[in-house]
Structure formats: structure tokens, C-alpha cells
Amino acid sequence: MKRILACMLIAVLLLTASCAASGAETYQKYRYTFFGCFDTVIIFTAYARDQAEFETYAKLVESEMMRYHRIFDKYNAYEGVNNLYAVNQGAAEAPVPAEPELMDLLLSVRQWRQAYGGVLNPAMGAVLDLWHDAREDGTVLPDEAALQEAAQHMDYDQVILDEEAGTVYFEDPALSLDVGAVAKGYAAQLTSDTLRENGLDSLLLNGLRGQAAGRTRFLGGGRRGPGWRQHP
């Protein structure tokens, strides 16, 4: 019996020494869900050493996503924020200062339009506003004549971006911007970059709206866990 116990003790000591020598760390997968930004349920999943470490990252995710929500919001003003609402309200009269992240997005859209044949158009705000109002009022469809008129004011080339001054100006006073097609994905990208700068290199950031998946951002793979796999 003593020999058996001695063998077991030696095995435990060898296993402990092996783990210590390898310096291996154990990570667990955690998930945090919140709502309130971009009219979307946000699901943040990551591998962390413990619950406390994960909660630190989760708070950072929610804070950053809410900050971008305020910047890209076209319906509401926020004190001290030169957001999309402020741009739409004043850019037809004079150049309006825009938050750096909003300016970067609008400049990026210009490049993407050149690369993909202009299929992306944030200048459709006047048209999308009619659909939004109809949905809010319970109307079946917007007025056809109003849609035709709004469609005459969606030329993104008439959005004048002064990168050096950080301002936006509309040459067409009836033009309006709506970045809903790209804002969530762009915000997820910027938030993922911030997480990486703060030491997290493996995460999944997913936005859901209704039953349909929204924007998903993957970062990293197997160091902290088995890696991410996307299913149809």
C-alpha cells in the first residue's frame, strides 16, 4: 500500500511540475448580452482567465459601442457630441464639425464606393426617412411622389468632406445622411481594435436584430480557446 501511495504522490508531483514548467494558463469562455445601442442586441463572447477579467472587457465593449451609437445616431442630439444628427441639421447651411470617428467613416465610404462601383450610398437619408416615418405612423407605404422627389437628393458626391478641418458640408440642401448600412459593423471593428489594444486577442462580437443575424466581428483564434467557427 505504501508503495502504491508513493507512486501516486510522485505522479502528482510530476504532473504539477510539468504544468508549472510549461507556464500554461487556463481560459474559460464567457458571454455578455446587452441592448440599447444601434437598436440591436449585442452579444460579446470571449475567453478570459476568470470572471473578473471578462467583466472588465465586457464593460469596455458596452461603453465603446454606446459611444459609437451616439456618434452615428441620426435621430437624437447628445450634449458635447458632433454626431450625425448635428451634421444633418446644419451641413446644408455651412460646414459642420464632425466627430473624428464619423469623419473617418464618411471618408472610408468614399473609398468603398470607388472600389465597389458606388453600390453603398449613405446619402439616401431623405428616402430612408420617408420609410422610417411610414413605419412609425403605421402607414403601409410612403407616398410615391415623395419618394421620387427624395430620390433626386441622394448624390454622395455633393457631400463635401474637409478632412483637414474635420467638417461636413452638403451642396444639396435637401440631402441627408444615413449610415445605418455600415455603422454597426464599423463600430464593431473599432471596438475590437480597442479590445486588442487592451490585451484581448480572441473574441466574437455579434449584433442580432429580430431573428436575423447582424454584424459579426471575429478576432483571434486558438491561443485562448479552440477558435471560432461560423455556422450558416
Side-chain angles (χ1 to χ4, degrees), residues 6-201:
C7 291
M8 292 175 63
L9 178 59
I10 291 172
V12 171
L13 291 173
L14 288 174
L15 179 60
T16 302
S18 175
C19 292
S22 66
E25 292 184 286
T26 301
Y27 292 87
Q28 297 294 325
K29 186 169 74 171
Y30 298 92
R31 177 176 294 178
Y32 176 64
T33 302
F34 61 96
F35 178 82
C37 59
F38 297 105
D39 193 24
T40 299
V41 176
I42 305 294
I43 303 174
F44 168 56
T45 309
Y47 285 88
R49 296 176 182 87
D50 52 42
Q51 182 72 34
E53 181 186 51
F54 176 77
E55 288 180 357
T56 298
Y57 288 125
K59 290 178 181 178
L60 181 58
V61 168
E62 186 167 9
S63 174
E64 287 294 281
M65 290 296 289
M66 286 302 300
R67 184 168 72 88
Y68 295 126
H69 167 81
R70 290 189 288 269
I71 291 173
F72 300 134
D73 189 349
K74 65 172 289 184
Y75 298 110
N76 301 284
Y78 303 92
E79 185 176 357
V81 181
N82 297 321
N83 68 350
L84 186 61
Y85 175 85
V87 168
N88 279 335
Q89 290 298 306
E93 299 178 2
V96 175
E99 292 295 329
E101 294 86 354
L102 176 56
M103 195 70 188
D104 289 343
L105 176 57
L106 296 177
L107 288 167
S108 296
V109 165
R110 176 172 291 171
Q111 297 176 355
W112 298 335
R113 283 173 56 80
Q114 293 174 352
Y116 299 106
V119 293
L120 174 65
N121 188 8
M124 293 180 62
V127 172
L128 295 176
D129 282 344
L130 293 173
W131 284 100
H132 174 269
D133 293 344
R135 183 174 68 249
E136 293 296 310
D137 295 340
T139 307
V140 177
L141 292 172
D143 179 71
E144 179 65 25
L147 284 173
Q148 292 293 337
E149 170 60 24
Q152 305 303 310
H153 306 283
M154 41 186 279
D155 184 357
Y156 194 68
D157 290 336
Q158 292 188 317
V159 178
I160 308 304
L161 304 174
D162 188 330
E163 186 173 4
E164 184 175 350
T167 60
V168 183
Y169 174 67
F170 298 160
E171 289 186 334
D172 180 354
L175 186 146
S176 177
L177 291 175
D178 186 314
V179 296
V182 292
K184 288 188 286 292
Y186 196 69
Q189 172 67 62
L190 295 178
T191 300
S192 298
D193 292 344
T194 298
L195 290 168
R196 180 167 50 193
E197 292 168 1
N198 282 270
L200 183 62
D201 58 5

Side-chain angles (χ1 to χ4, degrees), residues 188-232:
Q189 172 67 62
L190 295 178
T191 300
S192 298
D193 292 344
T194 298
L195 290 168
R196 180 167 50 193
E197 292 168 1
N198 282 270
L200 183 62
D201 58 5
S202 182
L203 66 96
L204 186 152
L205 190 57
N206 187 33
L208 301 178
R209 186 167 184 174
Q211 298 299 317
R215 303 295 186 265
T216 302
R217 172 62 182 163
F218 299 93
L219 179 63
R223 189 179 75 83
R224 294 194 173 199
W228 309 108
R229 181 175 299 172
Q230 187 172 17
H231 297 280

